[in-house]
Amino acid sequence: MVSNPLVSDRNVEFLLYEVFDVEQICRLPAYQDHSRETFDLILNGARKFAREVVLPTYKPMDAEPAHMVAGGIKVHPAMKALYPKLVEQGGIAATRPYEVGGQQLPHTVATLVALYGMAANLSAVAYLGLTAGAAHLIEAFGSDALKAEVMPRMYSGEWTGTMALTEPQVGSSLTDVRTRATPTDRGHYLLQGNKVFISGGDQDLTENIVHLALARIDGAPPGIRGVSLFAIPKKRLEGSKLVPNDVHCAGAFHKMGWRGIPSIALNFGESGDCHGWLVGPPHRGISCMFQMMNEARLMIGMNAIATASVAYEEALEYARTRPQGRPLGSKDPAAPQVPIIEHADVRRMLLRQKAIVEGALSLGVQTARYADLAAHAATAEERRRALLLLDMMTPIVKSFSAEKGFEANALAVQVHGGYGYTSEYLPEAWLRDQKLNSIHEGTTCMHSMDLLSRKVMAEQGVALRVLGEEISGAIARASAAGVTPAWGEAVGRAVGVVGDLTAYLASLGMSGKVEEMMRHSVDYLDLFSTVAVSWQWLLQAAVAREGLAASRLPPGFYEGKLCAAEYWIRTELPRVDHLAALCRSGEGSYARMDPGWF
Amino acid sequence: MVSNPLVSDRNVEFLLYEVFDVEQICRLPAYQDHSRETFDLILNGARKFAREVVLPTYKPMDAEPAHMVAGGIKVHPAMKALYPKLVEQGGIAATRPYEVGGQQLPHTVATLVALYGMAANLSAVAYLGLTAGAAHLIEAFGSDALKAEVMPRMYSGEWTGTMALTEPQVGSSLTDVRTRATPTDRGHYLLQGNKVFISGGDQDLTENIVHLALARIDGAPPGIRGVSLFAIPKKRLEGSKLVPNDVHCAGAFHKMGWRGIPSIALNFGESGDCHGWLVGPPHRGISCMFQMMNEARLMIGMNAIATASVAYEEALEYARTRPQGRPLGSKDPAAPQVPIIEHADVRRMLLRQKAIVEGALSLGVQTARYADLAAHAATAEERRRALLLLDMMTPIVKSFSAEKGFEANALAVQVHGGYGYTSEYLPEAWLRDQKLNSIHEGTTCMHSMDLLSRKVMAEQGVALRVLGEEISGAIARASAAGVTPAWGEAVGRAVGVVGDLTAYLASLGMSGKVEEMMRHSVDYLDLFSTVAVSWQWLLQAAVAREGLAASRLPPGFYEGKLCAAEYWIRTELPRVDHLAALCRSGEGSYARMDPGWF
């Protein structure tokens, strides 16, 4: 376990410097202080820290979850010891500008830096990720007073932050938020309501926690346009003193995984004395919150990749060292057993994990690059294109990584055989962790609807056209590098399938058949994701060919990339025809199925 | 939770009396004492007992697993209280002949009776299932002394039994068993060796446990034909007294699920005083053990179905009662929220679960019927056909139910949203239970190799021809009943795909390309299973049409069957073309992938 690299360093180097040429990003004024040297320094620090300091905390924290004692959450002692060290690593404000105390690190790099910590102990680093997102909301939309008082304490890790959206009756339907906010004449509102599933909603790591919560101001219009965003601290500052703010932990959920960070039920204003401060304009809470949700969604996608990655690395090591059985057709029972990686099906399971992990990761870094360009590219047109792609790829990175990551994690258990089912080994714990990622920050279904009804439809499908141009670039690069032509052709054809299907579904929507258009949205997401990941594998194959041509080392690394690309493009990409046929078929069994017929 | 029916009674009735006409089986001499009346009596008893007595033990046993205390396993108090009641239900010898104390119940019925208990608490009933299998081995192959002394105590539940196959260095490779058996001149052997993953290998429920274990007699030839089967009791009878038999519990594995039954490491003969009795001829242990393994494999398939069923029923109830969100396109945020079953994607997830659970169950009952006919059909030819089908379907029932059952269980969690991830609800526990089913009693890969290299290849593919005839019968029944003709055509075409592909793969094997033939064995299993379950859905659709035509009640039940059949045949069956193409393609990425390239 100590030898688990969490994430392949060679692959990170490959993505940053060979596939996405991050040094190009450093030519943008915002990133001009950075260079490969600073990136490598940061990456190496993060790796060492994740492997030596963070990973050993994982198993104990999984075994003994944070729990409630006397009305408050007590975290694991290992978490208490780890938190100040995590803060010291400086991850909270890494991508934020210098003027708020950040390092102005490109997302392209920060994403990979964070990945190591997530792979080592996703719950532990989640305290910081949530804090970063919450502080960023205050940075973007908060009043000057909040920005002065609260934001620096969060970016420095002195206080943590949370995202308090959902309520017992609400789930994904944020329209139905009921928490109430009553204005006072002293600048704050009085909050009253109940929230559930608040990750890190209480802890004994820091003296204060700031909840970024959705609520309705008294008299607000019904529906989503009557929901506002508030900062609600656990304790409020009165002068320089922190006093309780009538925020109460009502209980902790017992979870299947992510056991190092509590998910709690939170009550605001049981005694009518819970102060909250409006963040952003009244009734515009959802659109403000979307900034954080989009960051959070990408973060969940990266968590999913990290969780699949660490399990893949563990399975790989196990398969290389566990002897069992003999080659097919071997007749000599006295011959020594071979490592299980020699069996074709074990290699299939490993290559499938590799294809999922490294395909999703490539897409994740591609998307992080779009985030950098959307904020800092030289021209307005470049920024606009990047933003379109960022928005379109966010549901893919989140949901593909969660859904296929779960499959990859199950395969890591399977490679371990009976041992994989025991907690003497870690794969079962990572499988439990992974399951949450298709649920929180928007279920897979919600993301499929976001993709199909918003992202690809906006402005007559401009995002899809821009994506098509990006993929054409990859096809050209692959062709120039000498990648098997059939692969580029297959990807090109699949892009055509997506385009035609999307146009067809749009026509259904425009003729009022919205139900029919949306019926197979999850299949559409599956199809779209499969094509997007094929694009990334084609790109990686191109760079692998370039690497082999340039005699970069080690050649086996590039050969492995070509095998994984072939695996994905030849075994997974062909599924698109079946999926497209489904989306078009109008197959209506479940639409027709009456709830009483089950 | 108390209202969970575990398994749909109406569906059980449908399968037994409408699809498979079990009363026909009662015309066979072996089953002539039975009738629908006795079956219903037994079924109703099992249902009531499973729902009221067994289910409430599930959550506590999951929360506090059986564990080791002072060298022995202590089971949960709820298990101690439950065991005598389970024994009283009479399940252990249900299908065995009267002369050994059984009820001579057809497997077709016994399988469904057992399903309720498995759905209620699969670990609890596993003690009995293992005992039944072990006792059946003694019945079939044991000496008269063993049959007199040991078997009745097992069939009566006074003692339990286990299956002690694997060893630390062995896993699936039973060729490599090292436990040694040294003959003595007193009828017994002296055993020495270590076993791992022995379910129910120790417990404090009964005064004795009989392990059916594989070992090598001193001087035995190497390889699988040097492995013998032994009965090794925890305590041996000396006169009428039970004395310790040098069998030691070396530790319990901590498991992800199945937490009510311990899986332990077992040491035989630490002090050189472990007596074992040969079962069956020397060196023929594997072929004897296969009888139990095949029963155990079907049992695991049924466990997988039961675990998917109980979660499906729970998700269904949740979806019908949990309000959240509004219909697509609803503009009024003040309108009340609707139950989530109104959302198309929730219905998709439920219908997919239904299609998996009821498709697999139909195939399981079909296979149980073959077991009855293989033993008791009137003519040798009928028995032979049934045996061929039983053997061919066993890996399908086991692996399909485990693999797709896991997907169904994950969907049950997903339907519950955030709550599904908490142990305040049960779906996460059932998901954890389900994961084992693709591993124990042969991994999915082992079953795919069994199917492709043995079952479909034996005697020039006779089993496949017989299956083709069975499926043709179903197509004709569907056509006569007025089922949408395209469904029958699709199934017929898919059978052709399987036949052509199998012939092609056989030709590869015969020309010495065994690696190439076997490379996609897991895809072949997936394809074969998809077709087999489509056959069952076509059959169910036929009977549903017959039911509607005959105005049987309730019509919604039959409509639901037609929806599920349509779902499976139109959305899942079309995957066969992709899978067949893969199996034929020679796609060799993972065959080529060097272990050093990952």
Side-chain angles (χ1 to χ4, degrees), chain B residues 319-330:
Chain B
R320 281 175 172 155
T321 53
R322 161 82 180 174
Q324 198 191 293
R326 290 169 191 78
L328 219 59
S330 158

Side-chain angles (χ1 to χ4, degrees), chain A residues 247-504:
Chain A
V247 170
H248 304 278
C249 173
F253 294 95
H254 298 94
K255 287 178 299 176
M256 187 182 192
W258 288 73
R259 290 158 65 108
I261 185 164
S263 176
I264 69 160
L266 206 58
N267 293 346
F268 296 130
E270 286 177 359
S271 316
D273 187 39
C274 175
H275 297 200
W277 286 266
L278 187 66
V279 176
H283 316 322
R284 305 293 299 155
I286 293 288
S287 59
C288 297
M289 191 53 118
F290 256 107
Q291 174 196 293
M292 182 172 178
M293 285 202 282
N294 278 332
E295 286 174 16
R297 284 164 176 190
L298 284 176
M299 190 174 78
I300 295 307
M302 299 316 291
N303 266 304
I305 295 167
T307 303
S309 173
V310 67
Y312 161 61
E313 295 289 348
E314 191 90 359
L316 186 54
E317 177 64 15
Y318 185 81
R320 281 174 171 157
T321 53
R322 161 83 180 173
Q324 197 190 294
R326 291 169 189 80
L328 219 58
S330 159
K331 305 281 183 215
D332 179 10
Q337 300 198 68
V338 298
I340 60 171
I341 201 169
E342 297 294 337
H343 303 309
D345 194 64
V346 172
R347 281 214 299 281
R348 177 188 66 82
M349 292 192 280
L350 291 168
L351 190 57
R352 188 164 177 81
Q353 289 174 70
K354 180 185 171 82
I356 291 170
V357 169
E358 297 182 6
L361 183 56
S362 185
L363 193 65
V365 177
Q366 176 86 67
T367 304
R369 192 167 187 277
Y370 292 140
D372 290 331
L373 294 175
H376 299 296
T379 69
E381 176 56 17
E382 283 175 89
R383 291 194 294 275
R384 181 174 157 274
R385 283 174 64 99
L387 185 62
L388 284 167
L389 291 163
L390 169 63
D391 282 349
M392 189 163 58
M393 286 301 131
T394 296
I396 308 281
V397 171
K398 196 278 185 185
S399 297
F400 174 87
S401 308
E403 294 286 346
K404 291 287 171 184
F406 185 65
E407 191 193 327
N409 279 95
L411 288 173
V413 169
Q414 190 79 14
V415 167
H416 280 76
Y419 292 106
Y421 197 68
T422 70
S423 56
E424 278 76 10
Y425 290 73
L426 287 172
E428 67 89 23
W430 292 316
L431 180 64
R432 288 188 281 105
D433 288 338
Q434 187 68 280
K435 190 72 224 95
L436 187 59
N437 293 325
S438 64
I439 299 172
H440 62 171
E441 303 301 340
T443 63
T444 299
C445 174
M446 300 299 290
H447 285 285
S448 75
M449 300 206 299
D450 178 47
L451 177 69
L452 179 53
S453 71
R454 291 192 205 104
K455 301 302 171 60
V456 299
M457 293 297 160
E459 299 177 51
Q460 288 81 48
V462 60
L464 209 53
R465 281 201 301 280
V466 173
L467 177 67
E469 290 163 21
E470 294 272 298
I471 298 182
S472 295
I475 294 173
R477 186 170 174 181
S479 171
V483 170
T484 314
W487 300 359
E489 285 157 22
V491 172
R493 200 180 71 80
V495 172
V497 169
V498 173
D500 292 349
L501 173 64
T502 307
Y504 172 74

Side-chain angles (χ1 to χ4, degrees), chain A residues 167-173 175-176 178 196-197 222-224 252-258 312 316 320 322-326 328 333-335 337 341-342 344-345 347-348 350-351 354 403 406 410 413-414 417-424 428 431-436 438-439 443-445 449 514-515 518-523 556-557 559-564 566-567 570-572 574-575 578 582 585-598, chain B residues 167-173 175-176 178 196-197 222-224 252-258 312 316 320 322-326 328 333-335 337 341-342 344-345 347-348 350-351 354 403 406 410 413-414 417-424 428 431-436 438-439 443-445 449 514-515 518-523 556-557 559-564 566-567 570-572 574-575 578 582 585-598:
Chain A
E167 300 181 3
Q169 77 291 351
V170 168
S172 304
S173 180
T175 292
D176 293 291
R178 285 189 203 157
V196 288
F197 298 131
I224 204 76
F253 294 95
H254 298 94
K255 287 178 299 176
M256 187 182 192
W258 288 73
Y312 161 61
L316 186 54
R320 281 174 171 157
R322 161 83 180 173
Q324 197 190 294
R326 291 169 189 80
L328 219 58
Q337 300 198 68
I341 201 169
E342 297 294 337
D345 194 64
R347 281 214 299 281
R348 177 188 66 82
L350 291 168
L351 190 57
K354 180 185 171 82
E403 294 286 346
F406 185 65
V413 169
Q414 190 79 14
Y419 292 106
Y421 197 68
T422 70
S423 56
E424 278 76 10
E428 67 89 23
L431 180 64
R432 288 188 281 105
D433 288 338
Q434 187 68 280
K435 190 72 224 95
L436 187 59
S438 64
I439 299 172
T443 63
T444 299
C445 174
M449 300 206 299
V514 178
E515 280 259 7
M518 299 305 291
R519 191 179 292 157
H520 287 273
S521 63
V522 171
D523 292 318
F557 173 80
E559 295 287 358
K561 283 288 181 189
L562 290 170
C563 282
E566 177 175 7
Y567 174 81
R570 289 189 62 193
T571 71
E572 201 65 19
R575 291 176 59 239
H578 167 57
L582 262 189
S585 68
E587 199 286 293
S589 52
Y590 51 89
R592 205 171 65 249
M593 184 84 179
D594 187 277
W597 294 354
F598 279 96
Chain B
E167 299 181 2
Q169 77 291 352
V170 167
S172 304
S173 180
T175 292
D176 294 291
R178 285 187 202 158
V196 288
F197 298 130
I224 204 76
F253 293 95
H254 298 93
K255 288 179 299 176
M256 188 182 191
W258 288 73
Y312 160 60
L316 186 55
R320 281 175 172 155
R322 161 82 180 174
Q324 198 191 293
R326 290 169 191 78
L328 219 59
Q337 300 197 66
I341 201 169
E342 297 294 337
D345 194 64
R347 281 214 299 281
R348 178 188 66 82
L350 291 169
L351 190 57
K354 179 185 172 81
E403 295 286 347
F406 185 65
V413 169
Q414 190 79 15
Y419 292 107
Y421 197 69
T422 70
S423 55
E424 278 77 10
E428 67 89 22
L431 180 63
R432 287 187 282 106
D433 288 338
Q434 186 68 281
K435 189 73 225 96
L436 187 59
S438 64
I439 299 172
T443 62
T444 298
C445 173
M449 301 205 300
V514 179
E515 278 259 8
M518 298 305 291
R519 191 178 294 159
H520 288 272
S521 63
V522 171
D523 292 317
F557 172 80
E559 295 287 359
K561 284 287 180 188
L562 291 170
C563 282
E566 177 174 8
Y567 174 81
R570 289 190 61 194
T571 71
E572 200 67 17
R575 290 176 59 238
H578 167 58
L582 261 188
S585 68
E587 199 285 293
S589 52
Y590 51 90
R592 205 171 65 248
M593 184 84 182
D594 187 276
W597 295 353
F598 279 95

Side-chain angles (χ1 to χ4, degrees), chain B residues 120-464:
Chain B
N121 186 339
L122 81 178
S123 301
V125 300
Y127 290 99
L128 286 82
L130 288 161
T131 302
H136 190 188
L137 270 180
I138 293 175
E139 181 192 333
F141 305 109
S143 66
D144 289 343
L146 275 178
K147 277 197 257 191
E149 249 179 20
V150 173
M151 185 185 72
R153 290 186 161 102
M154 295 172 77
Y155 276 143
S156 69
E158 186 186 338
W159 297 354
T160 62
T162 80
M163 199 162 158
L165 283 67
T166 200
E167 299 181 2
Q169 77 291 352
V170 167
S172 304
S173 180
L174 295 176
T175 292
D176 294 291
V177 157
R178 285 187 202 158
T179 294
R180 287 174 44 205
T182 307
T184 70
D185 53 11
R186 288 168 296 150
H188 65 260
Y189 290 71
L190 284 174
L191 276 289
Q192 199 151 41
N194 313 309
K195 297 285 177 182
V196 288
F197 298 130
I198 310 309
S199 290
D202 195 32
Q203 37 81 354
D204 55 350
L205 293 169
T206 59
E207 63 174 351
N208 204 9
I209 305 168
V210 181
H211 306 288
L212 275 287
L214 294 177
R216 292 184 175 283
I217 297 171
D218 293 347
I224 204 76
R225 282 162 191 280
V227 174
S228 305
L229 180 62
F230 290 87
I232 309 174
K234 178 179 174 183
K235 295 179 183 170
R236 62 183 187 250
L237 277 168
E238 293 199 344
S240 63
K241 235 185 88 196
L242 281 174
V243 303
N245 189 36
D246 198 13
V247 170
H248 305 277
C249 173
F253 293 95
H254 298 93
K255 288 179 299 176
M256 188 182 191
W258 288 73
R259 291 160 64 109
I261 185 164
S263 176
I264 70 160
L266 205 58
N267 293 347
F268 296 131
E270 287 177 358
S271 316
D273 187 38
C274 176
H275 297 201
W277 286 266
L278 188 65
V279 176
H283 316 322
R284 305 294 297 156
I286 292 289
S287 60
C288 296
M289 192 53 117
F290 256 107
Q291 173 197 292
M292 183 173 178
M293 286 202 284
N294 279 330
E295 285 174 18
R297 284 165 176 188
L298 285 176
M299 189 175 78
I300 295 307
M302 299 315 291
N303 266 304
I305 295 167
T307 303
S309 173
V310 65
Y312 160 60
E313 295 289 349
E314 191 89 359
L316 186 55
E317 177 64 15
Y318 185 80
R320 281 175 172 155
T321 53
R322 161 82 180 174
Q324 198 191 293
R326 290 169 191 78
L328 219 59
S330 158
K331 304 281 184 217
D332 178 11
Q337 300 197 66
V338 298
I340 60 172
I341 201 169
E342 297 294 337
H343 303 309
D345 194 64
V346 172
R347 281 214 299 281
R348 178 188 66 82
M349 293 192 279
L350 291 169
L351 190 57
R352 188 164 178 80
Q353 289 174 72
K354 179 185 172 81
I356 291 169
V357 169
E358 297 181 6
L361 183 57
S362 185
L363 192 66
V365 176
Q366 175 86 66
T367 304
R369 192 167 187 277
Y370 292 141
D372 291 331
L373 294 175
H376 300 296
T379 70
E381 175 57 18
E382 283 176 89
R383 291 195 295 274
R384 181 176 156 271
R385 283 175 63 100
L387 185 61
L388 284 167
L389 291 164
L390 169 63
D391 282 350
M392 190 164 58
M393 285 301 131
T394 296
I396 309 278
V397 171
K398 196 278 186 185
S399 297
F400 174 86
S401 307
E403 295 286 347
K404 291 288 170 182
F406 185 65
E407 191 193 326
N409 279 97
L411 289 173
V413 169
Q414 190 79 15
V415 168
H416 280 76
Y419 292 107
Y421 197 69
T422 70
S423 55
E424 278 77 10
Y425 289 73
L426 287 172
E428 67 89 22
W430 292 317
L431 180 63
R432 287 187 282 106
D433 288 338
Q434 186 68 281
K435 189 73 225 96
L436 187 59
N437 293 325
S438 64
I439 299 172
H440 62 172
E441 303 302 339
T443 62
T444 298
C445 173
M446 300 300 288
H447 285 284
S448 75
M449 301 205 300
D450 178 46
L451 177 69
L452 180 53
S453 71
R454 290 193 206 103
K455 302 300 172 63
V456 299
M457 294 296 161
E459 299 178 50
Q460 290 80 48
V462 60
L464 209 52

Side-chain angles (χ1 to χ4, degrees), chain B residues 102-121:
Chain B
Q103 297 174 260
Q104 227 155 296
L105 197 64
H107 285 94
T108 313
V109 177
T111 292
L112 288 165
V113 171
L115 200 67
Y116 287 89
M118 291 171 174
N121 186 339

